[in-house]
Every structure is written in C-alpha cells, then in structure tokens.
Amino acid sequence: MDIQRIGVVGAGQMGAGIAQVAAVAGLDVVVTDVSQASLDKGEAGVAKSLGRLVKKEKITQEDADAAAARIKWTQDLQSHSDRQLVVEAVTENEELKAKIFRELDGLMPAGAILASNTSSISITRLAAATQRPEHFIGMHFMNPVPIMKLVEVIRGIATSDETFAQVKALAEKMGKITTMSRDYPGFLANRILMPMINEAFYTLMEGVGSAEDIDTTMKLGANHPMGPLTLADFIGLDTCLYIMEVLHDGLGDGKYRPCPLLRQHVDAGWLGRKTGRGVFNYND
Ligand code: NAD
C-alpha cells in the first residue's frame, strides 16, 4: 500500500506539526479535533511555520501554498473514513485515546493503519482496544515536529512486519529518520533521557552542584545542546514526573524512583517555561 491519504486526530502542538510535514511531503491530510479553537490555532501555526520556510528559501511560496491546501481542518471524526493511516496526537490520556481508537477502528477501512504519537502509553494496550492490533503501531514524533529529525517507531506485541515497513517508509517520505523500539515503558528516547533529567534533580537536591553548574557540566562535558535542567523546564516538569512514574511503575525498579525535588517543583506549580518558573525563573 502506497500511503497517500493520512489523518491526524488532535490539532495541538504535535498534531499540527505532523500535518505540516505530511503535507509538505505531498500527502493529502485531514486533521480533526474536538476544539474549533485548537483547529484554528493549528491552521494558523502551520501557515506561519510554512511562511518561515519560504523566508529561509527551504521551499517556494508555491509549494507552501500547495502544502497548506492539502490539509483539511475539521471537527468531524468521520472524515477519517477514507484514510489509509491515522496518527492520533490528542492529550496524553489513555482512556481518551482508547475511545478515539475504538471509534476510528469502526469507521476506517479494514487494513488501514492506526498509529499513536503517545510518549508513554503502552502501544500493545491501546492496540487491544481495537480489532486490528496487527495494523496498530506507535509513531513517536519529537517536538517541534518540523525541526526534529527523529521518529521512534514502536512495535506493539501484535504489530505486523508489513505495518512496520509501511510506517517506516511513510516517516522517511516525511523527511524523518526512524528508529525501532519495542513496546516497553518510555520506549528508547524517554527511557534514556528521563532518568538523566531525574538524576540531575537528585544532584541538585543533594547539593552536589548548583543548577547552573549541573547544566554547564552536561553542555560542555557531554556536548549536549542544553543542560538537563533547562531541557526539563522546556519539556514541562509535570511531563517529566509523569514519565518517571510510568518507568517506575512499568519496570518496577527502584532506580527509576522520581526525585522528591522534582515532585516538589510540580507540587508548587513550578512546571517550567509554560508557568514562568521551573528550576529556573523566566519571569524576569
Ligand atoms: P496539545 O495539548 O498541544 O494538543 C492536544 C490536542 O488534543 C488539543 O488540541 C485538544 O483539543 C485535542 N483533543 C482533546 N480531546 C480530544 C478528542 N476527544 N478528540 C480530538 N481531539 C482532542 O498536546 P501535544 O503536546 O500536541 O501532545 C499530543 C500527544 O503527543 C500526547 O500524547 C503527547 O504525549 C505526545 N507527544 C508530545 C510531545 C511534546 O513535546 N509536546 C512530544 C512527543 C509526543
């Protein structure tokens, strides 16, 4: 199956980005969301992002216009009924995602592929909510989608070789490089990244070093583009804590215990850049 028609459920940060890279790659895209405000914001965001690509001479104005015209934005989930693949990118809530997948399963053709952009929920469990677990897969894009090259492709226990090959080829058509991860908590990226961020909080809590020195050490010592605490503030400390809890619960190993100082920041509402304060203060 040569995939030409895709759907995206969720027009937020990730969904809009996925729609954009798919449309630039020449695919026909339908984006649905329950919120008209999200659809409007997503559409405006894509227009702005395409405009930036034109300014940087990465694409022509003609290509940008054609890409924007290939995306349809609607509240009607039924619009996915002729799609060959749908990527779900709604709020990280398992019940909500399972409900959407049950509905998509009922309205999409047999053989069409269902993919989730979840950062932390089991692909195998989401697939079990449908009648097509062999055509179910994880497609984990990174934020911001138009800039970040990686897509982690996650195989649930029942995902077929054919589904995997088609999704890998699709991601490559969208200009991405893929890695394959089995379906274990955190997959590859977050399984490795989040314990590092958590450890940075432990070193801060124990007074081993200052926040600035922890970040500078990893920037200059490990050649990371930003320090782990700055990165945590970008991601959102609530998201970091949630993923550590998924690793701790799912793998049952004490080494994934969320740092109490990370939890305390979240309890205080210091969630990072989005609230103006995380480890660092962004209000000044
Ligand atoms: P977001 O809050 O920006 O967008 C979520 C969207 O889902 C909103 O527009 C909301 O209106 C919509 N939505 C809620 N309920 C819905 C429903 N019933 N039907 C249709 N749409 C509905 O969130 P996001 O950052 O784009 O994250 C989306 C997914 O991507 C999550 O699973 C998240 O874990 C994953 N993810 C996020 C990042 C990141 O850095 N933000 C990175 C990788 C993966």
Side-chain angles (χ1 to χ4, degrees):
M1 178 170 63
D2 180 26
I3 298 177
Q4 294 291 342
R5 299 184 308 279
I6 78 154
V8 179
V9 184
Q13 250 190 111
M14 298 303 289
I18 295 167
Q20 178 184 323
V21 294
V24 168
L27 300 164
D28 178 274
V29 187
V30 168
V31 184
T32 63
D33 199 293
V34 280
S35 150
Q36 187 58 47
S38 287
L39 289 165
D40 294 344
K41 193 170 165 205
E43 187 170 7
V46 168
K48 200 167 155 195
S49 173
L50 288 171
R52 272 198 299 268
L53 292 177
V54 173
K55 241 189 203 153
K56 286 191 200 154
E57 298 183 353
K58 296 244 161 99
I59 56 174
T60 65
Q61 184 65 52
E62 238 180 3
D63 289 344
D65 293 344
R70 275 192 286 271
I71 311 176
K72 183 179 159 200
W73 305 82
T74 169
Q75 282 184 282
D76 182 13
L77 195 77
Q78 290 286 336
S79 310
H80 295 300
S81 62
D82 68 343
R83 301 288 103 182
Q84 295 163 295
L85 174 144
V86 168
V87 189
E88 165 280 315
V90 304
T91 320
E92 189 78 341
N93 173 313
E94 185 164 347
E95 243 170 73
L96 174 67
K97 287 181 193 280
K99 176 175 163 279
I100 289 170
F101 279 122
R102 268 192 297 273
E103 286 173 25
L104 290 171
D105 191 28
L107 63 88
M108 287 174 64
I113 296 171
L114 294 175
S116 177
N117 186 49
T118 179
S119 307
S120 62
I121 300 166
S122 159
I123 295 303
T124 302
R125 238 175 17 239
L126 288 174
T130 74
Q131 303 298 316
R132 61 179 87 200
E134 69 286 3
H135 293 132
F136 198 104
I137 200 158
M139 221 178 163
H140 188 211
F141 289 83
M142 307 288 131
N143 187 22
V145 180
I147 290 169
M148 300 292 279
K149 274 275 170 208
L150 180 71
V151 177
E152 266 187 315
V153 181
I154 300 115
R155 298 189 65 152
I157 198 168
T159 308
S160 71
D161 290 345
E162 198 195 344
T163 298
F164 173 71
Q166 284 176 337
V167 167
K168 179 175 160 59
L170 175 70
E172 286 167 358
K173 190 172 176 179
M174 290 163 79
K176 302 302 182 193
I177 292 167
T178 63
T179 53
M180 197 270 278
S181 172
R182 296 283 169 187
D183 183 27
Y184 288 94
F187 314 133
L188 283 173
N190 283 327
R191 169 86 175 261
I192 298 166
L193 174 66
M194 289 302 167
M196 182 190 70
I197 286 174
N198 198 46
E199 202 59 29
F201 271 93
Y202 273 113
T203 55
L204 183 64
M205 185 177 81
E206 291 164 10
V208 183
S210 67
E212 287 76 12
D213 280 356
I214 291 165
D215 272 10
T216 302
T217 299
M218 295 310 287
K219 259 168 71 179
L220 304 185
N223 218 7
H224 290 187
M226 65 177 91
L229 298 171
T230 301
L231 178 59
D233 277 355
F234 259 108
I235 295 170
L237 302 189
D238 49 342
T239 303
C240 294
L241 176 61
Y242 175 72
I243 295 175
M244 281 313 297
E245 281 168 344
V246 168
L247 294 178
H248 195 217
D249 293 348
L251 297 162
D253 189 326
K255 75 180 179 183
Y256 299 109
R257 187 172 70 101
C259 177
L261 183 65
L262 170 60
R263 197 181 291 284
Q264 215 170 41
H265 277 65
V266 174
D267 288 344
W270 298 351
L271 306 184
R273 283 188 172 263
K274 61 185 171 188
T275 57
R277 172 156 194 183
V279 176
F280 301 102
N281 201 331
Y282 302 93
N283 288 319
D284 317 324

